[in-house]
Amino acid sequence: MRRGKYAVRFTNLALLSQVAPRRPGWRRHVAAGLFLAMLLIMMIGFARPATGVKVPRDRATIMVAVDVSLSMMAKDVAPNRFEAAKDAAKKFIRDLPGRFNVGVVSFAGNANLVAAPSADRQAAIASIDQLVLAKRTAIGEAVFTSLQAVRSFDAQASQDPPPAHVVLLSDGDNTTGRSVSEAIDAGRAAHIPVSTIAFGTPYGTVDIEGETTSVSVNKETLRTLAEGSGGKAYEAADGGQLSEVYSSIGSSLGFKIEHRDIAARFTGIALLFALAAGGASLAWFSRLP
């Protein structure tokens, strides 16, 4: 029988397993995987990704508009709606960050600027202590008066108005003056949202000229104003809830969201992956990938 042309050089298979080079196994995939990850991260970085960052507002101005109509005498909120509203508004002003300017508007049959926006907290609080009740409710006028106060804030406000927000508390409907829809249009044109607080319960009553009158809260009007102007609508049925609402509003007004480029982060991460890939390849295979 003819012998085969080829013969095994090592007949001892056990010895062959010792002298043959070992396969790199899983290690051969690590460097390649790190290199591919680096390429992927670099591609994401080239796309210029951005993220939202909370940035403190400069020249931020808050206008606090307080309803002083006769319906605020209702005692469904202890000791009555008016006193509870004043206490909560004063606490809100005291707790605002120091960089905020704050102004106060009161409204009943018309609206009045009782404290021009400034950093003087004591002046704003004192103006609330001096509020008195009157007939009718001019919600629309309160918005227009607040917007005018913002436009008159400083010498540059007419051309570059400060970032502002109106916080309006009321328990009723708009009964006089310009309409809520006009106020919405004005707020949107000025890029100033109006957040509203519907204060009171459906069971409030007041005695006016010897006649008992129901003064339930008109939540829909206030919600329409808030949502139409870009603000938020809140409800509070007692003094404790009102303080919580003011606290929530204050924490959300201190910052604005700006989108900032974070491509540098991805470049840095990609560099780390590149170094890891090169290090692994040199350590295991004595060569770069």
Side-chain angles (χ1 to χ4, degrees):
M1 183 176 180
R2 186 178 178 181
R3 292 185 179 182
K5 185 177 181 181
Y6 302 100
V8 177
R9 185 182 297 271
F10 294 96
T11 57
N12 189 330
L13 296 180
L15 178 61
L16 179 61
S17 66
Q18 295 296 320
V19 300
R22 294 184 178 180
R23 293 178 177 272
W26 59 269
R27 293 181 179 178
R28 63 180 176 177
H29 301 297
V30 173
L34 291 171
F35 185 76
L36 290 175
M38 180 269 292
L39 291 177
L40 177 61
I41 295 171
M42 286 294 291
M43 291 175 62
I44 296 174
F46 287 141
R48 312 289 294 182
T51 186
V53 179
K54 293 175 69 175
V55 179
R57 293 177 179 269
D58 296 325
R59 301 169 65 223
T61 299
I62 308 300
M63 296 302 303
V64 179
V66 181
D67 187 344
V68 295
S69 61
L70 295 180
S71 59
M72 293 291 284
M73 291 190 301
K75 296 182 178 180
D76 55 334
V77 177
N80 58 54
R81 293 179 183 177
F82 187 48
E83 293 301 325
K86 290 197 298 182
D87 289 343
K90 288 188 290 185
K91 184 178 186 302
F92 171 65
I93 291 171
R94 280 194 295 266
D95 293 344
L96 280 174
R99 64 180 176 275
F100 277 102
N101 298 287
V102 61
V104 180
V105 168
S106 67
F107 62 98
N110 52 35
N112 297 293
L113 178 65
V114 295
S118 73
D120 189 344
R121 299 288 188 268
Q122 293 305 315
I125 291 172
S127 72
I128 291 177
D129 284 328
Q130 297 170 6
L131 296 179
V132 294
L133 298 173
K135 294 181 179 180
R136 296 186 294 276
T137 309
I139 293 176
E141 294 299 329
V143 174
F144 277 96
T145 300
S146 298
L147 298 180
Q148 179 58 42
V150 173
R151 287 193 294 268
S152 306
F153 171 66
D154 57 19
Q156 65 184 105
S158 60
Q159 300 297 324
D160 179 25
H165 202 113
V166 177
V167 180
L168 184 145
L169 178 145
S170 181
D171 66 348
D173 199 357
N174 191 55
T175 61
T176 188
R178 282 170 282 191
S179 67
V180 169
S181 61
E182 290 177 287
I184 291 172
D185 292 340
R188 295 180 67 176
H191 303 289
I192 297 177
V194 181
S195 288
T196 61
I197 306 173
F199 185 47
T201 73
Y203 314 107
T205 60
V206 294
D207 293 327
I208 301 176
E209 297 178 354
E211 183 178 344
T212 300
T213 304
S214 174
V215 285
S216 59
V217 181
N218 190 324
K219 300 177 183 178
E220 292 305 315
T221 295
L222 298 174
R223 181 173 296 278
T224 298
L225 172 58
E227 293 178 351
S229 64
K232 293 184 178 180
Y234 299 89
E235 298 177 13
D238 57 46
Q241 289 183 3
L242 180 57
S243 294
E244 291 178 5
V245 168
Y246 270 126
S247 178
S248 175
I249 293 173
S251 63
S252 67
L253 297 181
F255 299 89
K256 59 182 177 180
I257 302 298
E258 289 187 355
H259 293 284
R260 293 187 174 178
D261 190 335
I262 57 172
R265 298 183 191 177
F266 288 87
T267 301
I269 295 172
L271 178 60
L272 292 177
F273 273 87
L275 291 174
S281 184
L282 285 173
W284 292 333
F285 311 114
S286 299
R287 61 183 176 84
L288 289 174

